[in-house]
Amino acid sequence: MDMSVFDLFKIGIGPSSSHTVGPMVAARRFLVEAGSLDDVVGVEAALYGSLALTGVGHATDKAVILGLMGETPQHVVPTQVDAMLAAAEDKKELKLLGTHAVPFTAAANLLFFKSETLPEHPNGMRFTLKRADGTMLSKVYYSIGGGFIREEGETGGIAGKTPVEMPYPFDTMAQLLEHGKRTGLTIPQMLRANELMRVSEEELNEGVDRIWQVMRDCITHGLETAGQLPGGLKVKRRAADLWRQAKGGDRSNELPHDALHQVSLYAMAVNEENAAGGRVVTAPTNGAAGIIPAVLRYYAEDCHPSDPVKGVREFMLTAAAIGMLCKRNASISGAEIGCQGEVGVACAMAAAGLVAALGGSNLQIENAAEIGIEHHLGMTCDPIGGLVQIPCIERNGMGAVKAITAASLALKGDGTHFVSLDEVIETMRQTGADMQAKYKETSLGGLAIHVVTVNHAAC
């Protein structure tokens, strides 16, 4: 396993890790690897499959242009994006990597092939440079979920990362459990040892703490921001109003489980920020970015930990281990296996992380993760209007509550369970393979079609 906690948790912008973060990274990588740009006279980007079908709603068009301009997901300023794009469109000119200007308009140089899919993944894109002497450079990239990208024909590890020999290598949960049984170490302890082969203890702690801070800031901003989400559906942001109600004095509609209501609001706040193109952490995707922050805040504030800093770090390392297994042995791409690979995986990651932070055993951690995925099997990805809003925002709220329930069930048991995590991950992979393409982030089926059809009929 050559992945890191910092591969699973990446600071970026919304609304989508596979349709926004990945294409931005790919566009910039194409130009960086192209060599000198001095004689370039034109550039073109073509989007295929899911990227074309839901690209505008997922801001893929904006992301590609920003990537060609040299911007990165972690450093671009969300509040400046629209102004930057408008200025480029007005000039009908794009400065490649911020230095070399070429003629460019979105209408002429950004192409959408909605009925074509490239062979290696539903999220395909082709970039082409034209030089003054008439020669062309063209490359194909795939956005494979969670902000990860892969060049056509690229196999093995993560692009740009040198493989490192780990003290506790694992490709399955069974292998990780065997390491723990042999050494007496917990899953977060083993993940920490693996991470320290790449970074120092200080860098690891500071990096994880930084990710948690961005998550907290995202929740806070989402709970304070009202208004309407962009995109045309006129979806109203609800988290801020519901949060004020939850913290107010009106108890007329209070239910016995309203403590968990706050957790769902944390998650919804994050995904409203994501839908608005704000700063979020991919966890493991943007479409499922609210679940882990919500459960982390629940742990830090409601579980009264004696050492919350240590607990949060153990939570994150454990959650990353589950995400690594899901990505390696199935997928975290909604365009590849549906929302079970996004919300389902995030739920499993959060459940396992919570058990680890609360001192659960390795078997209890596995049990919690297995429960989290098992009860999302078959979940489709059918965003209305191609926007990461309906049903995505509420799904994060529900996923956070289900993660806490899964953790509770696991902690109240002794770790023995019938279905293994490896088995349920393989089941998720097979279920995704069997799922019709129209239910996998194309907006060609499910709610995306039914609701739009009903609304049109009512007009």
Side-chain angles (χ1 to χ4, degrees):
M1 189 74 70
D2 58 359
M3 278 177 272
S4 162
V5 63
F6 302 117
D7 295 321
L8 269 296
F9 298 110
K10 295 186 284 286
I11 298 171
I13 62 169
S16 172
S17 50
S18 61
H19 288 55
T20 312
V21 175
M24 191 186 305
V25 172
R28 186 178 187 277
R29 175 181 165 182
F30 170 66
L31 294 181
V32 168
E33 295 180 351
S36 174
L37 302 176
D38 293 343
D39 63 342
V40 172
V41 296
V43 65
E44 180 180 276
L47 305 175
Y48 297 83
S50 178
L51 289 183
L53 287 163
T54 62
V56 174
H58 285 56
T60 309
D61 50 346
K62 297 180 180 180
V64 166
I65 295 171
L66 289 169
L68 294 174
M69 294 169 71
E71 296 292 338
T72 61
Q74 63 267 37
H75 293 121
V76 67
V77 180
T79 55
Q80 297 177 4
V81 165
D82 288 342
M84 293 167 62
L85 296 173
E89 192 69 16
D90 287 344
K91 290 183 178 181
K92 295 180 171 55
E93 177 183 278
L94 206 60
K95 281 194 174 182
L96 302 183
L97 297 182
T99 59
H100 180 72
V102 297
F104 187 95
T105 65
N109 301 98
L110 188 56
L111 310 178
F112 294 80
F113 293 93
K114 296 183 178 181
S115 60
E116 296 183 39
T117 301
L118 297 180
E120 294 182 18
H121 195 278
N123 291 334
M125 63 201 110
R126 186 189 305 275
F127 299 100
T128 304
L129 280 183
K130 182 179 181 181
R131 299 191 183 273
D133 63 3
T135 60
M136 313 279 275
L137 173 66
S138 182
K139 286 188 177 182
V140 169
Y141 296 87
Y142 295 94
S143 182
I144 58 176
F148 292 88
I149 64 167
R150 183 179 69 219
E151 187 178 343
E152 184 178 40
E154 197 170 40
T155 59
I158 297 172
K161 177 170 287 191
T162 303
V164 174
E165 187 173 345
M166 301 295 179
Y168 305 104
F170 66 99
D171 290 324
T172 65
M173 176 55 81
Q175 292 172 349
L176 196 55
L177 291 173
E178 182 56 35
H179 286 313
K181 185 177 180 180
R182 174 175 53 84
T183 64
L185 296 175
T186 65
I187 288 175
Q189 286 172 336
M190 289 184 284
L191 264 290
R192 176 171 287 274
N194 284 352
E195 294 289 335
L196 293 180
M197 300 304 294
R198 294 188 184 277
V199 297
S200 69
E201 188 97 31
E202 182 180 19
E203 290 171 326
L204 176 59
N205 289 337
E206 287 182 353
V208 171
D209 293 347
R210 167 64 177 155
I211 290 168
W212 173 219
Q213 184 61 55
V214 173
M215 287 179 170
R216 281 185 292 180
D217 291 345
C218 188
I219 293 174
T220 298
H221 194 266
L223 292 176
E224 294 174 347
T225 307
Q228 184 172 291
L229 294 172
L233 288 181
K234 299 182 180 180
V235 174
K236 180 183 177 182
R237 296 178 69 139
R238 290 182 290 163
D241 288 341
L242 291 172
W243 180 248
R244 280 191 289 271
Q245 291 178 28
K247 305 307 287 184
D250 184 4
R251 295 289 184 263
S252 57
N253 292 318
E254 186 172 14
L255 297 173
H257 64 270
D258 268 2
L260 288 182
H261 176 58
Q262 294 189 20
V263 175
S264 67
L265 295 184
Y266 302 154
M268 290 174 62
V270 170
N271 281 83
E272 287 178 354
E273 285 292 291
N274 178 63
R279 177 76 64 211
V280 298
V281 175
T282 299
T285 68
N286 282 27
I291 294 172
I292 289 171
V295 178
L296 266 171
R297 180 160 167 172
Y298 167 80
Y299 163 74
E301 295 187 1
D302 296 308
C303 294
H304 309 293
S306 58
D307 189 346
V309 173
K310 178 184 177 184
V312 167
R313 292 170 181 170
E314 293 193 340
F315 184 119
M316 296 285 278
L317 289 167
T318 304
I322 304 305
M324 292 173 192
L325 289 169
C326 292
K327 185 182 186 308
R328 187 193 187 286
N329 298 318
S331 175
I332 57 172
S333 168
E336 193 168 21
I337 64 169
C339 200
Q340 60 175 352
E342 296 199 38
V343 166
V345 171
C347 177
M349 292 170 68
L354 182 57
V355 170
L358 294 174
S361 69
N362 289 347
L363 286 174
Q364 289 173 321
I365 289 170
E366 185 207 15
N367 189 15
E370 181 275 321
I371 294 170
I373 292 179
E374 181 180 327
H375 299 289
H376 286 91
L377 288 174
M379 180 176 279
T380 60
C381 183
D382 50 354
I384 296 176
L387 298 167
V388 193
Q389 298 178 16
I390 303 172
C392 319
I393 294 170
E394 287 183 355
R395 276 188 183 170
N396 276 259
M398 298 297 292
V401 172
K402 289 168 78 171
I404 294 171
T405 301
S408 177
L409 287 170
L411 284 168
K412 285 178 169 58
D414 62 3
T416 58
H417 47 286
F418 192 81
V419 180
S420 73
L421 179 61
D422 292 330
E423 289 170 333
V424 83
I425 290 174
E426 173 58 17
T427 303
M428 179 173 68
R429 186 194 66 79
Q430 292 181 12
T431 302
D434 292 340
M435 192 181 291
Q436 293 183 46
K438 68 180 181 179
Y439 295 118
K440 295 190 284 190
E441 208 165 358
T442 60
S443 288
L444 296 176
L447 284 175
I449 292 299
H450 177 73
V451 174
V452 171
T453 301
V454 170
N455 286 347
H456 285 174
C459 292

